[in-house]
Amino acid sequence: MAFTPLHDRVLVERVESEEKTAGGLIIPDTAKEKPAEGLVVAVGAGTKDDDGERIALDVKAGDKILFGKWSGTEVTVDGKDLLIMKEGDILGIIA
């Protein structure tokens, strides 16, 4: 991949949601919301504190995460639709 996020930014690929509800109803594409789950593709090196020491991020490439509905900026990298967001926009890591 030809893109590396800077500082505390994270590159995320959305994970598609289920096509059916728990009751078995099929959800049409027009009624689906954008998924708020994603897979971390790449991370920046982290920010620096007041002493110039690097503060590492809590997420790493390969982590499955949950983020806010309106988080991030949509970008296209190598033909893939991805999101770039700050680590603070991530709500948690899904185990």
Side-chain angles (χ1 to χ4, degrees):
M1 176 166 294
F3 183 84
T4 303
L6 296 177
H7 309 296
D8 64 339
R9 288 183 176 76
V10 179
L11 190 64
V12 177
E13 181 176 3
R14 287 186 194 269
V15 175
E16 292 301 320
S17 59
E18 292 292 321
E19 305 241 344
K20 290 184 181 180
T21 65
L25 298 174
I26 297 175
I27 303 169
D29 289 338
T30 55
K32 288 183 186 174
E33 291 187 15
K34 290 183 180 178
E37 291 182 17
L39 192 63
V40 176
V41 176
V43 297
T47 57
K48 291 185 178 180
D49 63 11
D50 294 335
D51 298 328
E53 297 291 319
R54 188 77 62 184
I55 301 170
L57 285 100
D58 292 327
V59 296
K60 61 186 177 308
D63 284 348
K64 189 172 182 181
I65 60 167
L66 184 67
F67 53 88
K69 185 185 282 189
W70 306 110
S71 299
T73 302
E74 294 181 356
V75 295
T76 302
V77 178
D78 294 339
K80 286 185 170 181
D81 292 329
L82 304 172
L83 287 171
I84 187 161
M85 64 182 70
K86 288 189 169 251
E87 185 187 30
D89 292 337
I90 297 172
L91 303 174
I93 299 172
I94 300 171

